[in-house]
């Protein structure tokens, strides 16, 4: 299977899609030479965006959520589209003991920019984030020269960070 520099997936509007999308994104990014740390950051951002769509919005027709990524010269952009919801996505400042409310704060910290686009008729909302790629190509080339195709001291392109949400 050939991996390009962008992809779009339609996934079920269910919690299991969070882990599926994260693993697929990290795998695709590893195949195109994105450094592990950047790929994992992009996977985390994508996980937060999908989780927010599931919690705060409605599904697209067919009970789906659209997930996409695209690599540019200096950044990778990830996006999640849903059927919209009653609130506008924004960064919150939750209390220290709050159980949630930190997702877009994480997105904001890891991204160089992020935003929201809503169709004029309100039928679809897309939340996107751009993460920096600077230095990835050089680091990947150096690692390949030093360690071969297995990668960074045994934590190469196959590395996938998972959480209890993957179970």
């Amino acid at each position: 299977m050939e991996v390009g520099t962008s992809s779009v997936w339609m996934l079920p509007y269910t919690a299991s899609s969070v882990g599926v999308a994260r693993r697929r994104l990290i795998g695709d990014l590893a195949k195109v030479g994105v450094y592990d740390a950047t790929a994992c950051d992009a996977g985390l951002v994508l996980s937060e965006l999908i989780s927010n769509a599931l919690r705060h919005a409605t599904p697209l027709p067919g009970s789906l959520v659209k997930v996409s990524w695209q690599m540019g010269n200096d950044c990778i952009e990830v996006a999640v589209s849903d059927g919209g919801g009653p609130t506008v996505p924004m960064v919150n400042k939750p209390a220290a003991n709050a159980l949630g409310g930190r997702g877009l704060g994480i997105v904001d910290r890891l991204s160089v920019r992020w935003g929201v686009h809503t169709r004029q008729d309100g039928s679809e909302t897309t939340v996107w984030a751009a993460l920096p790629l600077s230095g990835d190509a050089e680091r990947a080339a150096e690692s390949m020269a030093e360690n071969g195709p297995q990668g960074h001291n045994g934590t190469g392109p196959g590395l996938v960070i998972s959480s209890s949400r993957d179970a």
Side-chain angles (χ1 to χ4, degrees), residues 131-156:
L131 290 88
L133 277 176
S134 61
D136 277 348
E138 296 85 16
R139 287 189 296 243
E142 288 171 8
S143 176
M144 287 288 280
E146 291 174 14
N147 303 310
Q150 291 302 311
H152 316 282
N153 298 322
T155 60

Side-chain angles (χ1 to χ4, degrees), residues 44-154:
L44 175 58
V45 167
L46 184 63
S47 295
E48 293 297 339
L49 296 181
I50 297 171
S51 295
N52 283 349
L54 296 174
R55 183 170 186 175
H56 301 290
T58 60
L60 292 169
S63 198
L64 298 170
V65 63
K66 181 167 69 173
V67 176
S68 62
W69 69 270
Q70 181 173 344
M71 196 157 54
N73 291 333
D74 62 347
C75 68
I76 176 168
E77 187 174 301
V78 296
V80 174
S81 301
D82 55 49
T87 60
V88 176
M90 67 174 135
V91 175
N92 291 318
K93 296 195 187 292
N97 62 348
L99 296 177
R102 293 173 182 81
L104 284 178
I106 293 168
V107 171
D108 189 58
R109 279 275 202 193
L110 294 176
S111 305
V112 291
R113 62 190 173 276
W114 69 275
V116 181
H117 173 73
T118 301
R119 280 194 181 170
Q120 199 166 13
D121 66 2
S123 66
E124 185 174 307
T125 297
T126 301
V127 182
W128 59 270
L131 290 88
L133 277 176
S134 61
D136 277 348
E138 296 85 16
R139 287 189 296 243
E142 288 171 8
S143 176
M144 287 288 280
E146 291 174 14
N147 303 310
Q150 291 302 311
H152 316 282
N153 298 322

Side-chain angles (χ1 to χ4, degrees), residues 3-69:
V3 177
T5 57
S6 67
S7 190
V8 177
W9 318 307
M10 299 301 287
L11 298 173
Y13 188 80
T14 63
S16 63
S17 291
V18 175
V20 168
R22 181 177 56 242
R23 286 186 298 273
R24 185 165 177 187
L25 174 66
I26 291 171
D28 283 357
L29 293 178
K31 288 176 186 172
V32 297
V34 173
Y35 193 64
D36 288 341
T38 301
C40 288
D41 284 352
L44 175 58
V45 167
L46 184 63
S47 295
E48 293 297 339
L49 296 181
I50 297 171
S51 295
N52 283 349
L54 296 174
R55 183 170 186 175
H56 301 290
T58 60
L60 292 169
S63 198
L64 298 170
V65 63
K66 181 167 69 173
V67 176
S68 62
W69 69 270

